Amino acid sequence: MFKDLFRKPKYVTVHADTAKKDIPEGLWQKCPVCNEIVYTKELDRDLKTCKKCGSYFKMGAWERIKATVDEGSFNELDAGMVSINPLGFKDYPEKITSAQQATKLREAIVTGEAAIGGRPVIIGVMDPNFIMGSMGSVVGEKVTRAAERAVEKSVPLIIFSASGGARMQEGIISLMQMAKTCGVLARLDKAGLLFISVLTNPTTGGVTASFASMGDIILAEPGAQIGFTGPRVIEQTIRQKLPEGFQTAEFMLEHGFVDMVVPRSQMKSTLARLLDLHSTGGYKNG
Amino acid sequence: MANILLEFEKPIVELEAKIQELKNFSSEKEIDLSDEIKTLQNKADSLTREIYGKLTPWQRVLLARHPERPGTADYIKLIFEDFFELHGDRRFGDDPAVIGGIARFNGQPVTVIGHVKGKDTKDNLTRNFGMPHPEGNRKAIRLMEQAEKFGRPVISFVDTPGAFPGIGAEERGQAEAIATNLTRMMSLKVPVIATVIGEGGSGGALAIAIGDHVAMLENSVYSISSPEAFASILWKDPAKANEAAAVMKMTARDLEELGVIDEIVPEPLGGAHRNKEEMAKILCRSLKKSLNGLMKIPDDKLLEKRFEKFRGIGQFVSG
């Protein structure tokens, strides 16, 4: 449930004096975890990692692409695809327009052809800042087309998820994107192609319950919130506090739903090595 | 006759009580009141038609959740023969919120699976209000894979508020279980018919609803979340569930218009709970018809059509 994006991490303590400080937009940013004031240029250079506490700032889709693929290799697919309003939901078109203006994106995912460590891939990167990375028709369609392109080109698929789940404003149509994306992954699987799913903060709801959980290999960023139902809804339902560290990447690793927790600084090299291990094809006897 | 009344059903039930009273009176006193009874009966029928002809989406939500609405267990009893319930996911446990097994439908061996809600509070606690844990979804896919092995069509009944939100459910991979079902069902080489018989809530519903033919009973609902959760998420106010239901497009008619379902199965006048046997007969006819059609389609064609059906859902501008 994407409302849990609003949930503050439990370990945040905002002291009155630091909270009052006005940080000018752009030049400096404040770490949401330790409140350290970080120089934006440094932050960008350090893959949006707080130099004091090591926690991660949210990464936009383009920042992630830049940090992940070989320079100059990215060729965007379906760049112009935009949502319409299938339910005729009030204020939804305005919400999309303002998200587009705020993020300079058309939708909550950017997909394209690229190379990582010289190996060709199809990559999709979700952006948690675009209506909380929620999946409606466009995200569903772009993931599906990306997987279809991977099958067509016979190359691996990599998707970085960051999503509050299915997009409420598109109702049942959003729910059906779960079926659609899983359907195309069944085809990718049948074609014997590699799918690496990378779970970043946060990956919840209908995205976790569809394509993001279907990776041959599932990687997660340290500390990322990963789960199905958001913590607040669980607490309301069962009327008890959730244990410390519940629904983190580390929790998911411990419970067997993630293969590796990979620090941001090692993500690209990890992907490159995994792609390399899959590049020669499998052993075939006879 | 239903014992639990929804507000909008009251005038009908009051009238029906009056008719019964007159009938009793006439037989006791041996007075012929058949004309009066007939007049009142006609009045009751037209009142029912009037009230049910203009149900709001929220009223349909209430009907879909009606405690006496027939459920999976009722339909298994009324429509199927030789039912053997099979238990467990072979991994962790057996989820009472989902039942499944082998049975004969119209002479044909099939696998039947569905969510089960309780009939009373105690039963509901056992059934967890029809909300599956990962084990329920894994049991469902195990039985579907078994159906595939033995060439049995799958008939599923959807009736859940949603997959259960709890600590154990998360620890044991609720999301992974749903995703796996969606993916596996897309390549299941036997016909799958899914019918939403009550509430079709979110991923929990979808996890057994990837059908070649997806139907909804007339007063059932199917949506991305419960209207309460929808109102809570978008308007921070779960009390606005009524308004949420009005804009979510969650009724059978809405979903048919959106191209998400293939058929609306009509209910007896006054809703399924007012005549379970009649409802079962209508549902049985619908299932027979779709099964007969699907069993004629070769596997590869069936899978192609199933995928294309879901592949085609979504509204966007390519740009």
Side-chain angles (χ1 to χ4, degrees):
Chain A
M1 300 283 170
F2 59 72
K3 66 177 169 177
D4 299 304
L5 274 176
F6 292 123
R7 186 184 63 119
K8 284 183 187 147
K10 288 193 186 78
Y11 36 80
V12 171
T13 30
V14 181
H15 300 294
D17 54 342
T18 46
K20 273 182 202 151
K21 275 184 196 161
D22 259 347
I23 314 295
E25 277 275 326
L27 203 53
W28 301 89
Q29 289 180 51
K30 190 170 71 175
C31 173
V33 176
C34 75
N35 283 337
E36 177 76 358
I37 310 296
V38 199
Y39 191 36
T40 299
K41 268 191 185 162
E42 263 179 17
L43 199 61
D44 288 345
R45 187 200 61 205
D46 298 341
L47 303 173
K48 299 260 166 179
T49 310
C50 173
K51 64 178 179 185
K52 190 179 173 201
C53 72
S55 58
Y56 298 137
F57 285 60
K58 273 185 197 165
M59 226 175 177
W62 285 108
E63 292 171 311
R64 180 79 69 178
I65 289 165
K66 189 164 169 262
T68 309
V69 308
D70 296 348
E71 204 180 335
S73 72
F74 190 76
N75 178 21
E76 190 177 0
L77 298 167
D78 304 306
M81 196 187 294
V82 286
S83 270
I84 51 180
N85 190 1
L87 305 192
F89 198 78
K90 195 171 167 279
D91 300 337
Y92 181 44
E94 292 76 15
K95 198 170 177 70
I96 290 177
T97 308
S98 74
Q100 286 171 338
Q101 283 163 357
T103 60
K104 308 275 184 286
L105 297 169
R106 293 291 184 95
E107 253 291 342
I109 190 168
V110 177
T111 56
E113 298 174 327
I116 296 174
R119 305 274 176 208
V121 294
I122 302 294
I123 186 168
V125 178
M126 299 187 77
D127 194 305
N129 303 306
F130 192 101
I131 318 186
M132 293 168 235
S134 54
M135 170 163 70
S137 296
V138 174
V139 170
E141 181 69 18
K142 284 175 88 167
V143 166
T144 304
R145 288 191 188 185
E148 284 169 346
R149 180 66 70 108
V151 172
E152 188 189 309
K153 299 238 161 184
S154 202
V155 298
L157 174 70
I158 298 175
I159 297 177
F160 281 78
S161 291
S163 175
R167 187 172 296 168
M168 289 290 153
Q169 291 88 343
E170 291 187 34
I172 194 81
I173 302 289
S174 296
L175 189 73
M176 293 300 145
Q177 303 310 306
M178 295 166 62
K180 176 163 144 180
T181 54
C182 282
V184 77
L185 288 178
R187 297 192 152 197
L188 188 91
D189 193 58
K190 203 176 164 206
L193 294 167
L194 173 67
F195 169 38
I196 302 179
S197 175
V198 187
L199 313 180
T200 71
N201 190 38
T203 301
T204 61
V207 166
T208 321
S210 63
F211 64 87
S213 284
M214 296 314 296
D216 297 295
I217 296 174
I218 302 180
L219 311 180
E221 278 200 333
Q225 190 207 340
I226 302 163
F228 179 55
T229 312
R232 196 156 41 132
V233 174
I234 298 178
E235 284 185 344
Q236 280 165 3
T237 308
I238 62 173
R239 299 208 173 83
Q240 64 184 84
K241 275 265 163 239
L242 294 171
E244 194 65 30
F246 185 68
Q247 289 186 333
T248 56
E250 294 74 15
F251 172 96
M252 293 301 274
L253 180 71
E254 189 190 326
H255 287 92
F257 296 102
V258 155
D259 288 293
M260 285 180 260
V261 175
V262 181
R264 205 171 263 182
S265 58
Q266 291 166 33
M267 190 59 81
K268 182 178 179 174
S269 60
T270 303
L271 288 172
R273 286 163 60 206
L274 287 171
L275 289 170
D276 196 52
L277 277 168
H278 287 83
S279 65
T280 49
Y283 162 80
K284 292 236 167 41
N285 194 355
Chain B
M1 172 66 57
N3 297 317
I4 296 162
L5 285 186
L6 299 173
E7 197 56 40
F8 59 88
E9 291 183 299
K10 275 185 185 158
I12 305 167
V13 176
E14 277 164 14
L15 207 52
E16 281 174 346
K18 241 178 235 167
I19 294 168
Q20 195 54 46
E21 219 173 88
L22 274 188
K23 278 182 182 167
N24 293 346
F25 185 79
S26 103
S27 68
E28 266 172 36
K29 308 278 174 184
E30 293 182 5
I31 306 169
D32 182 15
L33 293 173
S34 55
D35 282 353
E36 286 82 353
I37 292 172
K38 204 174 165 208
T39 313
L40 277 184
Q41 192 62 58
N42 287 342
K43 203 179 159 197
D45 285 353
S46 67
L47 184 66
T48 312
R49 242 179 284 277
E50 193 198 317
I51 290 175
Y52 277 80
K54 51 172 193 195
L55 288 177
T56 65
W58 177 245
Q59 286 171 330
R60 286 198 206 274
V61 171
L62 296 176
L63 276 177
R65 292 175 180 173
H66 197 291
E68 286 166 23
R69 190 173 173 83
T72 298
D74 298 300
Y75 294 128
I76 288 177
K77 238 176 263 159
L78 293 165
I79 299 177
F80 297 80
E81 288 164 347
D82 281 344
F83 176 64
F84 284 89
E85 185 176 356
L86 303 177
H87 292 272
D89 69 345
R90 299 292 190 272
R91 301 233 176 329
F92 182 83
D94 183 44
D95 188 344
V98 176
I99 59 172
I102 320 165
R104 238 175 241 286
F105 173 76
N106 197 25
Q108 166 72 41
V110 297
T111 287
V112 54
I113 298 165
H115 303 111
V116 192
K117 292 179 177 177
K119 295 285 177 201
D120 51 45
T121 310
K122 192 172 160 257
D123 196 17
N124 248 327
L125 290 175
T126 310
R127 299 290 181 189
N128 198 29
F129 300 86
M131 292 185 280
H133 278 75
E135 297 79 69
N137 289 322
R138 292 188 180 123
K139 168 163 70 179
I141 205 66
R142 176 176 81 84
L143 296 182
M144 288 188 228
E145 286 175 346
Q146 189 190 65
E148 183 179 46
K149 174 175 174 181
F150 296 106
R152 286 192 291 262
V154 173
I155 294 175
S156 76
F157 297 121
V158 176
D159 191 14
T160 180
F164 184 66
I167 294 178
E170 293 287 326
E171 285 174 338
R172 301 195 295 277
Q174 188 69 280
E176 186 274 343
I178 293 170
T180 297
N181 281 22
L182 304 183
T183 309
R184 272 300 286 127
M185 285 186 86
M186 278 290 182
S187 45
L188 207 68
K189 288 181 187 146
V190 286
V192 181
I193 301 172
T195 309
V196 184
I197 56 172
E199 268 184 290
S202 191
L206 191 64
I208 62 165
I210 307 298
D212 301 298
H213 185 84
V214 181
M216 280 176 80
L217 300 196
E218 188 184 344
N219 294 314
S220 66
V221 290
Y222 192 7
S223 55
I224 187 167
S225 72
S226 69
E228 288 84 356
F230 190 91
S232 164
I233 291 167
L234 286 185
W235 307 322
K236 311 275 173 268
D237 185 3
K240 286 188 179 163
N242 187 332
E243 290 159 58
V247 298
M248 287 172 75
K249 303 227 163 132
M250 63 193 298
T251 68
R253 183 77 57 210
D254 291 327
L255 268 73
E256 191 184 49
E257 275 167 20
L258 287 166
V260 173
I261 61 161
D262 305 299
E263 184 192 358
I264 299 175
V265 182
E267 296 189 17
L269 189 61
H273 64 290
R274 294 181 147 257
N275 195 340
K276 289 182 192 188
E277 288 72 23
E278 179 63 17
M279 183 69 252
K281 266 186 210 154
I282 301 171
L283 179 57
C284 182
R285 274 201 298 273
S286 144
L287 291 172
K288 260 184 211 167
K289 191 167 167 241
S290 26
L291 190 60
N292 284 342
L294 291 172
M295 283 175 70
K296 292 189 189 108
I297 305 173
D299 291 355
D300 50 347
K301 187 88 187 292
L302 192 71
L303 292 187
E304 187 65 36
K305 282 177 74 167
R306 189 185 304 158
F307 175 67
E308 287 307 329
K309 181 172 127 91
F310 287 92
R311 173 73 185 81
I313 301 176
Q315 297 186 19
F316 52 85
V317 180
S318 278

